Each structure stands twice: as C-alpha cells, then as structure tokens.
Amino acid sequence: MKISYNFAFFDEGSKREIRRAALKAVAIPGYQVPFASREMPIARGWGTGGLQLTLSLIGKDDVIKVIDQGSDESVNAVNIKKLIKKTTGVEQTEKTSKASIIQSRHRIPEVPLNEEQILVLQVPIPEPLRLVEPSEYKTKRLHAENDYSGAWLMLFEQIMKYGSMSTGADHPVLVYGRYVMAPSPIPRFDNPKLTCSKALILLGAGREKKIYAVPPYTEVVSLAFDDYPFRVESFENKKCRICGATEVFMDEIIDEKTGMASYQCNDTSYCLKKLNNSADNQGGDISERI
Amino acid sequence: MKGFEKPVLEIKNLNKQFGKGCSDCCDINEKKLEKNYCPECGTVYACQDISFELYGGEILGVVGESGSGKSTMMKCLYFDQEVTKGEGYLSSYKDGLMNIFNESSQQKRYIRNHVLGKVYQNPMLGLKMNFSSIGNIAQKLIAAGYRSVRDMESRGIDLLNHVNIPVFRMKEPPKNFSGGMQQRVQIAKALSNNPPVLLLDEVTTGLDLSVQANVLDLIKKIQRELGISMIVVSHDLAVIRMLANRTIVMLDGRIIEKGLTDQILEDPQHPYTQQLVHSLLV
C-alpha cells in the first residue's frame, strides 16, 4: 500500500497555525505561547513539540540535523529523522554548520550557530515554576505579575541542602529581563550559549502544548544569587579520549573492569569532525582511535 | 492646631458580593435584606459597607460568627479576592494617596510582598509544606528583592528564633511540624519583610489550649517589640479580649458595633454582641 503524505506531514492550515504561535513567541521572548498541539505518529514526550515546530518551518531547500542528547545516531534522533525524510524528502546532515534547521534534545551543539540557522529544542516541562506551583492558572498569573520567587526558591533550597546550586540540567534563565524560562533539559554548560545567540532558538513542548523562543541576539541570564554565582560544569584537566577535545561538554565513561573514568565528547558530530580534521592533518587511520 | 494621627490602613465602604444580584436585591440599601443573601437570585453579600481605620502599633480585633464575612474581608485586604467596590489606603504605599483596590495586579502583588503580611487559619494556604522552613521564609524575602543567600539565611534564623522554632530544625519542611509550630513558621514568614500591617485570620483555631496560649503570647510579644499594626480575626471573644485594643463586631456581612475592646465587652449595645459577650461569661 502506498501512503502519500502532505509535505511535512501536516496540512497547510496546521503549519500556519504553529508558525503563528512561533511568531508570537519570537515577539515576546521567553513567553510561553499556547498552541493546539497535534497528534503525531510518535508518542507525546518523545519530541512532538520540537517536531511540530520543525515540520511547520521546514522548506524543500532546508537541510535538517536531528540530535538526541548530543548523538546523531540515537533511536529517538533516527526515528525523527526518518519521519522528516519520509514526509519532506529534504537533505539530512550530521554536520552542524551545514544544517539550516537543527532539532535537538538536551544539547546545544558545540559548533557556534549562525544567523541562517534555527535551533529547535524539545521540551518536556516548559514551566519553570511547575515544581513550586502545580496550578497552571496560578503560574500564568505569576508570570504576568513578574513574581519568580518560586524559581529562586528552588535554587535556594538546593543551596540549603547541598551547599550549592545543583541543577544538573534545565537551570532557569531570565530572558530579555522579563520572563523566566525553562531552557529545556540542556546542561548548565549550554546555558551561556543561549545569550546573544546568532541563531533563532525555538522551544516546543508537545505534551504541554507550549511554544516559546529566544530570538537572535537576545540577552539570556541564568538565575543566580549574589553570593552563589552561576557556574557551568567544569571539565578542567579533562580531554576527550577519542578526539582530544577540551572545553567541551563530555560524558564520563567508567571502565567496568578497571573502574577508571575516562571522558569523551557528548556532541558526536563535533567529535567526529575534530577526529577527521586531525586524521587529515596527520594522515592517520581514525578507526584506530575509536 | 494639634493634628490627628493618620491611620496606617483606612478602609471605606468595602463591599464584596458573590453573584450578580437581581432587581430584588441590587439596591440593598432600599430593600434592606434580612440576611446577607438574596432568596430570589442567591447572591451573597459577604461584606457590606465595611469601613474602619487601623492606627500605628494597634491591634484591631474582628469578631463575629461563622459566615459573618470576617475571612472574606481579610481575603479582600490581602487581594486573595477582588472587592466588588470600596476604597483602601495604606499610609506606607504611595503616602496613602492611592486606592489599593484600584491598583493593577502587579502593584497588588508588590503591596503583598512589601507592605502586608498574612497568617492564614490553615497553614497549608500560607506555607509550602514540602519546602524547608527557612525556604518558606526566604521565598517572601526573595519576592521582596533579597538576592543574597547569606542575608536571607541570617534573617530567617533571626525570625525562627523570634518565634521559638529551634534553628537546628530550619531545614525541615513544615509538614514535619505540629500545628502550633506551623503557625509560628507562618508568623515568621509573614514578618520577614517587616510589614507595617499584619493580617491574622483565625490563627489559633484548631490548636489546643496550651498551644493557643503560646501563639497568642507570641503575637503580643511581636506587637510589643516590633510595633506592627495588626488585624486579628477570630470568632473567639477570649482571643480578641487578650489581644485587641479596639474591636469591630460583624454580623451578616455588616459591622454592627465597633469601639474599644473593653467597652465592647463591658457594655455591649447590639443584641448580638450582648449574646456573644454573655456566652463568654457562661
């Protein structure tokens, strides 16, 4: 049986409506715009928010890159790529610099983005006040009245418990001096990449039916106290065991036999690119190092 | 000429109704409903033309039976509910020149965070039960603009000491505490931003007598030491007698009597107040 899809899966009216919500999100940086999240052929919570944004924006000339926790080859990334390929036929790439739309879960690529690119982040919980205030009605009101004491309280509690801010990911940020935003579960390491980003950053939460955005060159500040400044994860004196990169976000690998920890780049395409470059320069065989 | 003291809080003709009203009850001044609800349309007139002044360092008692409109009035004063009409002036907010009920929701939140403190009857409404006690205090401080953890911690410890909560328990959530301790944490939270006006809504209801006495002593002590003006709502005249300098008596959403607490207790004029005072003596 041959199944034919409309270009980019959705009908044109749906795409237009999602784009309209995205435009509003760009106009009000950090503000969560409600939208009618569609049923998708993947489960809610598996990146439907990001996928809807991608499909509403994509054109025939676009080049798409999908990453999941830094990897181009994870199951989630591959499935999303397959769906996009099947319904649009656009070119796919693993190279960050070549992509015009990058859909990502949990990471902002290591390679700096440019003005021609759009980064789409998948968001599980878009509301930064949710853990303090379960009521949507009340959180909307707190945003309207600029009362973010709840977001700060979460950080204060972490300091009281652990002696420092312990948000592993999704550290709340203040966008353009007005709205506090959940930057999706990106590590703290990626928070500074949000501020004055050259690329448009769109965030979509399918299950929670929200779209929000960080327009290019917008100031984004991670929340922190005067005496407990914001700090990113430190990889000082550590380098990638494959490509030798430093000052990038790395995964810690524990050798089961020896118990020794080693590190490797979390962004697989960055690691591969660096490896290829060094192999070209040195004329060696990269398979020996992987 | 000797000037008059300016009240810290002045309320004029505060009205709160639930329901739209009908031709039978809309003009309540002319129709004079027997009760505070309309039997035709079911509209409840919870507060009707409430006016009073609260002066610096004073404790004003509000007493009345259940359903008399005491708590609704307190909710309106703390902006938990919108007033239907009325005026309110706080001397510490824009020199008492602006009607606080007409302010924007952002400004009302500013008033809540900077000028008012409230202790609820139910600690669940005033505290985040899963967060630490010092975190609960810190939230109010953060809302008031504090951004130093050390400053908030030391202020929190001071306040917990003040309300007799052992400092070694400051990181415990209020859900681990007894009812009396929860009320004391609420009081500490309400006091954290040094509010000139503190609203206490039935703070001793549901507590046993010895704990009640502790909380009442604490309120007295705070008033004496910090000179904060307070409005204390209670259906218990004994509480009002112990705390309040002046008292207003409410029935069916209206103030039926007001005056010095001693005067109200010794020489009640309204039949309902007489009944209330009599019940205290029995």
Side-chain angles (χ1 to χ4, degrees):
Chain A
M1 191 171 74
K2 191 182 175 189
I3 303 169
S4 60
Y5 294 99
N6 190 38
F7 179 77
F9 187 71
F10 292 127
D11 62 277
E12 296 307 311
S14 294
K15 281 190 259 180
R16 202 174 299 130
E17 198 215 308
I18 296 167
R19 282 200 295 268
R20 217 175 278 144
L23 272 176
K24 183 173 177 182
V26 172
I28 316 170
Y31 173 73
Q32 297 167 50
V33 182
F35 80 111
S37 181
R38 266 73 183 166
E39 283 300 327
M40 301 291 295
I42 59 170
R44 288 221 163 123
W46 286 70
T48 52
L51 188 56
Q52 287 178 75
L53 274 169
T54 302
L55 293 174
S56 73
L57 295 166
I58 203 161
K60 285 177 180 162
D61 299 330
D62 275 311
V63 180
I64 184 82
K65 172 183 165 75
V66 181
I67 42 176
D68 175 16
Q69 304 203 45
S71 169
D72 289 85
E73 301 298 335
S74 77
V75 175
N76 191 227
V78 169
N79 282 338
I80 289 173
K81 267 191 277 196
K82 271 186 185 169
L83 179 71
I84 296 171
K85 176 78 181 169
K86 192 169 184 180
T87 58
T88 64
V90 300
E91 187 185 344
Q92 294 179 23
T93 183
E94 290 185 3
K95 288 181 183 168
T96 303
S97 54
K98 198 182 166 195
S100 57
I101 299 177
I102 301 163
Q103 180 172 331
S104 172
R105 172 172 174 250
H106 292 203
R107 280 308 310 276
I108 295 176
E110 299 292 355
V111 176
L113 304 179
N114 62 50
E115 286 163 350
E116 305 297 319
Q117 294 177 306
I118 297 174
L119 174 66
V120 176
L121 289 167
Q122 300 168 200
V123 185
I125 302 171
E127 180 50 69
L129 300 169
R130 182 61 69 236
L131 290 174
V132 184
E133 181 50 69
S135 157
E136 177 71 10
Y137 170 78
K138 285 185 183 165
T139 52
K140 274 192 91 73
R141 207 172 159 158
L142 289 169
H143 281 287
E145 294 172 7
N146 206 358
D147 186 341
Y148 290 114
S149 55
W152 292 90
L153 176 61
M154 296 297 301
L155 303 176
F156 180 87
E157 285 285 285
Q158 289 167 7
I159 293 168
M160 285 295 111
K161 268 187 193 164
Y162 310 115
S164 65
M165 289 189 284
S166 60
T167 39
D170 211 4
H171 187 97
V173 292
L174 179 66
V175 184
Y176 201 50
R178 177 58 183 88
Y179 286 98
V180 167
M181 178 189 98
S184 85
I186 56 171
R188 273 178 288 146
F189 189 88
D190 285 347
N191 272 25
K193 294 177 193 166
L194 291 167
T195 195
C196 293
S197 158
K198 287 181 182 173
L200 166 65
I201 301 172
L202 294 170
L203 300 100
R207 188 175 43 201
E208 306 278 330
K209 304 177 179 67
K210 294 281 171 58
I211 287 172
Y212 50 110
V214 179
Y217 301 104
T218 302
E219 189 190 31
V220 178
V221 181
S222 301
L223 297 194
F225 293 100
D226 295 345
D227 46 355
Y228 282 83
F230 174 77
R231 288 202 176 93
V232 300
E233 294 88 345
S234 170
F235 296 100
E236 208 179 333
N237 301 326
K238 295 180 179 80
K239 63 177 186 178
C240 174
R241 64 176 183 172
I242 300 170
C243 70
T246 55
E247 296 178 3
V248 292
F249 189 77
M250 285 187 262
D251 294 329
E252 187 177 342
I253 315 286
I254 308 285
D255 189 303
E256 283 181 15
K257 287 177 189 162
T258 62
M260 294 285 284
S262 59
Y263 295 85
Q264 71 181 50
C265 292
N266 173 269
D267 185 340
T268 53
S269 73
Y270 175 83
C271 192
L272 195 63
K273 185 184 166 194
K274 200 161 189 309
L275 205 57
N276 285 335
N277 286 348
S278 71
D280 287 347
N281 293 338
Q282 293 167 14
D285 182 1
I286 58 167
S287 62
E288 288 170 8
R289 286 191 242 177
I290 298 175
Chain B
M1 197 178 88
K2 196 178 173 185
F4 291 105
E5 187 190 351
K6 204 178 167 192
V8 175
L9 173 67
E10 188 177 8
I11 299 297
K12 289 180 185 172
N13 302 319
L14 187 151
N15 283 271
K16 175 67 187 172
Q17 72 182 60
F18 297 95
K20 287 182 178 171
C22 63
S23 55
D24 268 20
C25 67
C26 268
D27 195 352
I28 50 172
N29 290 328
E30 288 196 4
K31 298 282 179 184
K32 284 278 179 202
L33 291 171
E34 282 183 19
K35 283 284 187 182
N36 61 341
Y37 63 89
C38 172
E40 289 298 318
C41 65
T43 298
V44 176
Y45 293 90
C47 294
Q48 301 174 59
D49 292 324
I50 305 288
S51 299
F52 63 85
E53 297 87 30
L54 176 71
Y55 291 93
E58 179 190 40
I59 299 184
L60 177 69
V62 182
V63 70
E65 63 185 9
S66 294
S68 61
K70 311 181 299 288
S71 289
T72 304
M73 182 190 81
M74 291 293 257
K75 283 176 189 166
C76 290
L77 292 182
Y78 202 58
F79 310 117
D80 286 334
Q81 280 181 352
E82 290 278 320
V83 297
T84 306
K85 64 176 179 182
E87 295 170 40
Y89 301 93
L90 276 161
S91 65
S92 46
Y93 177 70
K94 295 184 179 173
D95 292 330
L97 298 173
M98 298 298 288
N99 177 6
I100 54 172
F101 299 128
N102 281 351
E103 290 291 68
S104 67
S105 57
Q106 286 90 344
Q107 286 302 313
K108 283 177 182 168
R109 190 167 287 277
Y110 174 88
I111 295 170
R112 277 171 70 131
N113 290 337
H114 291 82
V115 186
L116 298 175
K118 186 175 180 187
V119 182
Y120 292 84
Q121 177 182 352
N122 181 357
M124 300 269 280
L125 295 174
L127 296 174
K128 300 214 174 291
M129 288 295 175
N130 292 321
F131 288 82
S132 67
S133 303
I134 195 152
N136 271 283
I137 295 168
Q139 189 183 10
K140 187 103 181 172
L141 293 170
I142 292 165
Y146 278 59
R147 289 294 179 267
S148 161
V149 173
R150 273 185 220 108
D151 289 354
M152 285 189 279
E153 194 177 1
S154 74
R155 173 92 180 119
I157 289 170
D158 281 353
L159 286 161
L160 290 174
N161 274 328
H162 212 83
V163 298
N164 303 323
I165 301 281
V167 172
F168 70 87
R169 299 192 72 180
M170 71 178 184
K171 290 182 186 173
E172 279 187 50
K175 68 179 180 186
N176 289 1
F177 292 170
S178 66
M181 283 175 86
Q182 287 176 353
Q183 284 304 47
R184 281 184 274 150
V185 175
Q186 257 210 101
I187 292 171
K189 181 178 181 178
L191 290 173
S192 59
N193 57 347
N194 281 325
V197 177
L198 187 62
L199 310 173
L200 300 134
D201 189 4
E202 304 264 20
V203 283
T204 55
T205 306
L207 302 177
D208 68 52
L209 286 175
S210 61
V211 179
Q212 254 190 43
N214 279 337
V215 173
L216 293 176
D217 283 345
L218 175 66
I219 293 167
K220 265 287 198 200
K221 184 180 131 192
I222 289 165
Q223 195 274 334
R224 204 170 49 243
E225 290 177 1
L226 306 177
I228 294 173
S229 307
M230 299 182 188
I231 299 178
V232 179
V233 161
S234 181
H235 62 266
D236 185 351
L237 216 49
V239 170
I240 297 297
R241 180 163 68 177
M242 185 176 167
L243 293 177
N245 308 106
R246 283 190 308 128
T247 296
I248 58 180
V249 184
M250 289 182 71
L251 180 68
D252 291 338
R254 290 180 181 276
I255 294 178
I256 52 164
E257 197 163 348
K258 71 174 144 180
L260 295 171
T261 305
D262 289 346
Q263 183 193 328
I264 298 268
L265 291 173
E266 298 301 325
D267 187 19
Q269 300 296 308
H270 193 279
Y272 171 73
T273 319
Q274 289 167 356
Q275 202 182 342
L276 206 64
V277 172
H278 180 70
S279 69
L280 184 70
L281 300 172
V282 174

